[in-house]
Amino acid sequence: MLALVLFAARNNPLVPILAVSFDTFNLFHRWIGRIIVVESIVHMVAWFVNNEKSIGHDGIMEVIMTDPFVQCGFAAVIALMIIVIQSPAAIRHAFYETFLHTHQALAIVVLGATAAHIQLNHLPQKPIIYTIIGIWASERILRLWRLVYYNVSRRGVSRMYVEALDGGACRVTFDVRRPFVTPPGRHIYAYIPSISLWMSHPFSVAFASNKDGFSEISPSSSRSSSVHENAEDASKHASVAPAYSVSCIMAARSGMTRKLYDRARSHRNGVYVCRAFIEGPYGAAESLDSYGTVLLFAGGVGITNQFSHMHHLIQGWAAGTNATQKLILIWSVRSLEQLQWARPWLEQLSRMGRHGRELEIVVYVTQLRRVQLSFQSQEMNIRPARAPVDKLVEDHFEERIGAMSIGVCGPGALADDVRKAARAVMGRGKVNFWEEAFTW
């Protein structure tokens, strides 16, 4: 059970130490949980069989009704069985918030009932269960400290500026209270009380602004100046990002993200301002600094994760801190509306100094027959087609400089295509493949 609790923790120390993603540890957590459920059921059945022979059925029922030791054991097993029933992926994804509430409540029941079960009979496992509870409580306290540190100061509490975008997404900027330093490929958990009360949801970080050269990128720069017609909104959602800020893109799906998108849409000029809190950064992405060629694939809102790597590498060109000579982004979107989610960021990123390095940004719009000249730009190549993943990987592999890193963040089908194409060239040169995903 120690591994079960540790692998589910956001502050799992093994994530940065081993550079293994939280998603992988979450997979381990699920399978360890299933094993514990099977062991618990076997333990209960063995108790039934043993006592059936010694005290009979009536005696067993009397013990269950009167013995707290047995009652606590049954409570823990029943809670574990309910967790298994409501944990299949289809239920988790369809009713995420309900699943998370239920899962956390049942986990507390399991820990409490197991501790009482052990304590009542002074079993030798007492130090183990109290260590597990201590780890669980300490991790929660650390999360609370992160929330207070980044979101509360003498200047007040953090705020969130949400801009509803066409294509079903929000461009979000969190105005945090202290510098937020995050390596590329990390994610945060966002608490938005006006939308989802105490619930938190994970989102990839596009970039964090700490008064550096990138702070002038605006979360609303792609929209017309009418966004700021309201004087109050203009003062809150200025054309310059706050001194300490974290920017993300949130796709409107269901639950909290859909409520947030609808709330922003309903506000004047499509801008919603509210109190919000972030916790993080979390994650363990591989450093790309040592690769001569970096090929990044993104699908839809997956651009957020890949953008953070691009920002880091281009900043490294100016500082001379990485070996990357070629940086290529392949972004696949369904419509031109989705292109606008990150277009202003990408255009400003492409105008940063390249210092003799190569930068290529190609956007494939799958539900488009042709691209009007007004949508084209010098900073990126927009193509009305489905991304030919195999050909792109093969061509860039042939033109690579040094070792090559191929990364993907997007839908499962895109990840499968990129993985297959990367495997086809791995045996012919130094190529590394990585995939960023976040699943429950």
Side-chain angles (χ1 to χ4, degrees), residues 46-368:
W47 181 87
F48 263 107
V49 172
N50 184 56
N51 283 276
E52 175 69 26
K53 294 180 179 180
S54 58
I55 61 177
H57 181 267
D58 293 339
I60 290 176
M61 294 306 299
E62 182 179 354
V63 170
I64 293 175
M65 298 301 295
T66 59
D67 190 344
F69 170 74
V70 176
Q71 291 171 348
C72 289
F74 267 93
V77 174
I78 292 171
L80 284 170
M81 294 174 68
I82 296 174
I83 288 177
V84 169
I85 293 172
Q86 55 100 52
S87 65
I91 297 177
R92 294 199 311 269
H93 297 161
F95 309 99
Y96 168 76
E97 294 181 358
T98 302
F99 157 76
L100 200 56
H101 276 103
T102 307
H103 189 82
Q104 291 174 344
L106 290 171
I108 294 174
V109 171
V110 171
L111 287 176
T114 303
H117 182 71
I118 292 172
Q119 177 66 38
L120 287 169
N121 255 29
H122 303 285
L123 299 178
Q125 293 83 6
K126 189 189 301 184
I128 298 176
I129 190 63
Y130 286 139
T131 299
I132 293 171
I133 294 174
I135 291 174
W136 180 86
S138 299
E139 199 269 340
R140 297 279 167 164
I141 293 172
L142 180 56
R143 286 163 56 176
L144 178 61
W145 178 85
R146 286 177 182 263
L147 278 173
V148 173
Y149 179 78
Y150 285 117
N151 300 282
V152 180
S153 73
R154 294 178 180 177
R155 297 188 293 123
V157 299
S158 299
R159 301 181 73 83
M160 178 179 69
Y161 307 98
V162 185
E163 180 188 0
L165 306 172
D166 294 333
C170 298
R171 195 180 295 125
V172 179
T173 299
F174 296 93
D175 179 11
V176 294
R177 301 293 122 179
R178 290 181 175 84
F180 192 90
V181 179
T182 174
R186 300 306 194 265
H187 63 272
I188 59 169
Y189 285 86
Y191 297 79
I192 311 172
S194 63
I195 301 293
S196 57
L197 299 178
W198 62 87
M199 292 288 293
S200 63
H201 294 72
F203 299 100
S204 296
V205 175
F207 64 91
S209 171
N210 296 297
K211 293 184 178 180
D212 63 9
F214 211 60
S215 62
E216 63 273 6
I217 285 191
S218 166
S220 61
S221 58
S222 67
R223 297 177 68 89
S224 68
S225 59
S226 65
V227 170
H228 303 304
E229 288 176 356
N230 183 292
E232 182 179 357
D233 283 344
S235 64
K236 293 178 179 178
H237 198 68
S239 60
V240 176
Y244 304 136
S245 66
V246 177
S247 297
C248 309
I249 298 175
M250 299 181 181
R253 294 192 172 92
S254 60
M256 188 276 281
T257 54
R258 175 55 61 179
K259 292 178 183 177
L260 183 63
Y261 180 77
D262 292 342
R263 185 75 59 87
R265 274 290 191 194
S266 66
H267 274 64
R268 183 180 178 183
N269 303 320
V271 176
Y272 175 56
V273 183
C274 66
R275 297 188 186 279
F277 309 89
I278 65 170
E279 176 194 336
Y282 293 113
E286 179 184 357
S287 173
L288 306 180
D289 291 346
S290 62
Y291 293 94
T293 302
V294 176
L295 175 59
L296 302 176
F297 286 87
V301 76
I303 185 62
T304 312
N305 181 80
Q306 306 300 49
F307 183 90
S308 67
H309 287 288
M310 295 180 67
H311 177 211
H312 171 77
L313 290 173
I314 293 176
Q315 281 190 322
W317 290 350
T321 56
N322 65 58
T324 305
Q325 302 298 313
K326 297 183 65 175
L327 175 58
I328 307 102
L329 170 69
I330 308 297
W331 185 21
S332 178
V333 295
R334 293 181 180 178
S335 63
L336 289 175
E337 287 80 8
Q338 292 185 353
L339 170 60
Q340 300 305 115
W341 295 354
R343 181 170 184 166
W345 292 349
L346 291 172
E347 289 180 343
Q348 294 190 47
L349 191 67
S350 66
R351 289 194 288 268
M352 296 174 66
R354 302 185 184 182
H355 302 273
R357 318 294 176 90
E358 296 182 34
L359 173 63
E360 181 181 356
I361 300 175
V362 184
V363 182
Y364 286 88
V365 186
T366 58
Q367 297 179 359
L368 188 67

Side-chain angles (χ1 to χ4, degrees), residues 2-42:
L2 177 61
L4 180 72
V5 172
L6 182 62
F7 289 177
R10 296 178 185 176
N11 292 285
N12 179 1
L14 298 178
V15 171
I17 291 174
L18 301 179
V20 175
S21 69
F22 174 80
D23 190 60
T24 300
F25 277 109
N26 200 21
L27 177 64
F28 293 157
H29 166 78
R30 294 197 295 270
W31 277 103
I32 291 172
R34 291 163 185 151
I35 293 172
I36 289 176
V37 171
V38 171
E39 292 177 338
S40 299
I41 293 174
V42 170

